[in-house]
Amino acid sequence: MLDGEEFEQHRWRVGVLAHAGRRRDLVEFLRGNRARVAGWSLVATEETAAALRAEAGLKTAAVLPDDRQFRARLVAGEIDALIVLLPTPRRPAGGPDVMPLLHAADIHNVPVATNLATAYCLVMGLAPTDAAACARE
């Protein structure tokens, strides 16, 4: 567990994953919270990473569209939190089966947001407490 100063200085590593039908929601959400998440290391699938770079101006590392790379990074301790936006908790037609990823996050005590309300809580919980730091864009 990080103490107060370590928490403030930590560069959060956050995996972001969205079903194709929710990608726009994710991009708009992160663009709206750009000042809070700009210092984070974001990891997303290739299409989502490209959209976040182009439309939100956020540096984002890309992984393959299946969740195994996310899971491997999470298990290795390289992801601090996840934002996973899916239309249902079950596997969407043609989409990746994210249940193993969610299970791994649960086992490794990694916070997961599965809707925009919880994603907002996660962002606010990890964002700097200094209001001036959040105001910079």
Side-chain angles (χ1 to χ4, degrees):
M1 197 74 173
L2 301 174
D3 68 22
E5 187 175 324
E6 290 173 323
F7 185 88
E8 293 292 327
Q9 296 174 359
H10 187 71
R11 181 171 174 87
W12 297 107
R13 302 162 301 178
V14 178
V16 293
L17 182 65
H19 181 265
R22 299 295 309 273
R23 189 173 296 121
R24 173 73 24 229
D25 294 337
L26 180 64
V27 170
E28 289 177 15
F29 172 77
L30 290 172
R31 182 176 44 221
N33 287 283
R34 185 178 179 279
R36 290 183 181 93
V37 304
W40 295 2
S41 294
L42 296 174
V43 178
T45 59
E46 293 166 336
E47 286 184 42
T48 301
L52 288 170
R53 286 186 212 114
E55 300 172 36
L58 292 168
K59 292 181 181 180
T60 308
V63 295
L64 296 174
D66 105 19
D67 78 310
R68 285 179 289 185
Q69 288 184 327
F70 274 110
R71 206 168 49 235
R73 286 182 177 209
L74 186 142
V75 170
E78 298 172 5
I79 291 182
D80 298 311
L82 289 171
I83 298 174
V84 182
L85 299 184
L86 297 172
T88 67
R90 293 193 197 113
R91 181 180 182 158
D97 180 8
V98 297
M99 291 313 290
L101 175 64
L102 298 177
H103 180 70
D106 190 44
I107 290 171
H108 294 279
N109 205 29
V110 172
V112 178
T114 58
N115 60 49
L116 292 175
T118 317
Y120 181 76
C121 292
L122 188 142
V123 166
M124 294 308 292
L126 298 181
T129 56
D130 182 319
C134 291
R136 285 178 270 170
E137 294 213 38

